[in-house]
Amino acid sequence: MSGRTVAVTGLGLVTPAGFGTAATWQHFLGGEPTARPDLTLAGLNADFCCTVDPYDAPGLLGGRLARRLDPFAQLAVLAAREAVDDARLDPAGWDGARVGVVLGVSATSVTTHQVEYARLEQGRADRISPLMLPRSIPNMAAGEVSLDLGALGPSLVVSTACASGTSALGLACDLLRAGTCDLVLAGGADSGRSRMVATAFDRLGALSRRRHDPAGASRPFDADRDGFVLGEGAGVLVLERVEHARARGVRPRAYLAGHGSAADAYHFTAPHPDGDGLARALDTALADAGLAPYEIGHVNAHGTGTALNDPAEAAALRQVFHRPPPVTANKSVIGHTMGAAGAIEAALTVLTLQHQLIPPTANLDRMDEAIDLDVVTKAPRPVALQAAVSVSSGFGGQNAVVVLTAV
């Protein structure tokens, strides 16, 4: 094991597939999509999304904190708490100055802005909430987690569009390698459940309009795909220096062995058609991990189900792996959680390594003939797996990859 490897000692997940890591994992093994009509989006071309089931925010967070936090920050705090507990950590006893927080965020709180701007336009400036700014600025996802858990080290938010969660894991890894922190709570949180967000993506032609069959709308790599489905959620991983975890007597769930990122510099929203930037990010991540392509046994794909992303991603995988290993696409089940997507998918990759079981991709009924990949469908696939990659891309030509290895 390389000295640059860091341990993954805790997971926290709040997703449309379940509240908590165990519930989310079990739902993914069943492969049932979660998209459904949403009254928040009623009347829009895409009036459905993947939502976290209702939860008792005041009961879980306390009334005052629940009122202060926008949904994306609530999800971040709840996922972080689970991750810390899973890692057998007690914030009351840790050296907070050696604990960092790095989270990826993309959409944040568009709904909060809409409500407050409407009051301003109506001449009701005196009714604008004094909490508008602290509820809505992106850094508050990390800020509120730091405040909630007493993490006194670096508190950072990364925004690389839909690659944000994966980018956050890479930055957290570097903080640990540099000796800046002993522990970093890393991941992402986001909620795209907004009429403005849904309308904006729809105007770009990015959203599925499969209103007659919401559950079947998110269909990565399928010939009949027509766009992604909005989702919300949070994923937080406790990353820890291996020596620190060993001293605590904690067995890691997996290791983060390497990461890489690269830009397409091709188009402001469309991916490079040959997957050029993603291929370079993969090469960088593999080199960082000290692994050859043939040593990777699984790919957790970005897999949005859009016309342009899926063939570009397949091209990148073929360029790097020639014959890519088995692939799964988690967005088929929980939609696109944007800034949280890469973190949730990395956490599910950790679970895949632990259980030696690849969850199926939902809704893949007829493979696009232009996409030559071995995509796991219908049922979980048992594997003998030592290393896997989780890949993400985003607007602006962002590409980020993490390499995870089994214990």
Side-chain angles (χ1 to χ4, degrees), residues 110-156:
V110 176
T111 300
T112 291
H113 281 277
Q114 284 179 236
V115 170
E116 303 298 348
Y117 277 127
R119 288 175 177 156
L120 183 64
E121 292 300 311
Q122 294 163 3
R124 302 167 60 203
D126 60 326
R127 301 301 299 166
I128 291 175
S129 171
L131 295 176
M132 176 187 171
L133 281 178
R135 275 177 62 93
S136 63
I137 51 179
N139 75 291
M140 293 309 290
E144 292 289 2
V145 168
S146 298
L147 183 63
D148 187 67
L149 295 171
L152 306 177
S155 176
L156 307 169

Side-chain angles (χ1 to χ4, degrees), residues 264-340:
D264 284 339
Y266 169 77
H267 190 271
F268 62 100
T269 57
H272 193 288
D274 297 330
D276 179 66
L278 182 55
R280 285 185 287 109
L282 277 160
D283 285 337
T284 300
L286 291 172
D288 188 43
L291 295 174
Y294 71 85
E295 295 179 278
I296 301 299
H298 168 54
V299 175
N300 191 308
H302 187 55
T304 59
T306 57
L308 298 181
N309 174 87
D310 292 5
E313 182 171 9
L317 294 177
R318 288 195 302 271
Q319 181 177 330
V320 173
F321 296 106
H322 304 298
R323 296 188 64 181
V327 171
T328 197
N330 298 152
K331 293 179 181 69
S332 63
V333 173
I334 61 170
H336 197 338
T337 56
M338 295 175 292

Side-chain angles (χ1 to χ4, degrees), residues 269-406:
T269 57
H272 193 288
D274 297 330
D276 179 66
L278 182 55
R280 285 185 287 109
L282 277 160
D283 285 337
T284 300
L286 291 172
D288 188 43
L291 295 174
Y294 71 85
E295 295 179 278
I296 301 299
H298 168 54
V299 175
N300 191 308
H302 187 55
T304 59
T306 57
L308 298 181
N309 174 87
D310 292 5
E313 182 171 9
L317 294 177
R318 288 195 302 271
Q319 181 177 330
V320 173
F321 296 106
H322 304 298
R323 296 188 64 181
V327 171
T328 197
N330 298 152
K331 293 179 181 69
S332 63
V333 173
I334 61 170
H336 197 338
T337 56
M338 295 175 292
I344 293 170
E345 289 155 12
L348 290 166
T349 306
V350 167
L351 292 166
T352 293
L353 287 161
Q354 276 195 284
H355 296 284
Q356 299 286 284
L357 198 60
I358 302 175
T361 299
N363 298 321
L364 182 48
D365 299 324
R366 186 165 64 96
M367 176 72 81
D368 184 336
E369 293 180 358
I371 295 173
D372 182 18
L373 294 175
D374 174 17
V375 182
V376 177
T377 64
K378 310 304 181 187
R381 182 184 297 182
V383 286
L385 188 61
Q386 184 57 38
V389 295
S390 181
V391 306
S392 299
S393 299
F395 283 177
Q398 307 280 359
N399 299 282
V401 177
V402 288
V403 179
L404 296 152
T405 57

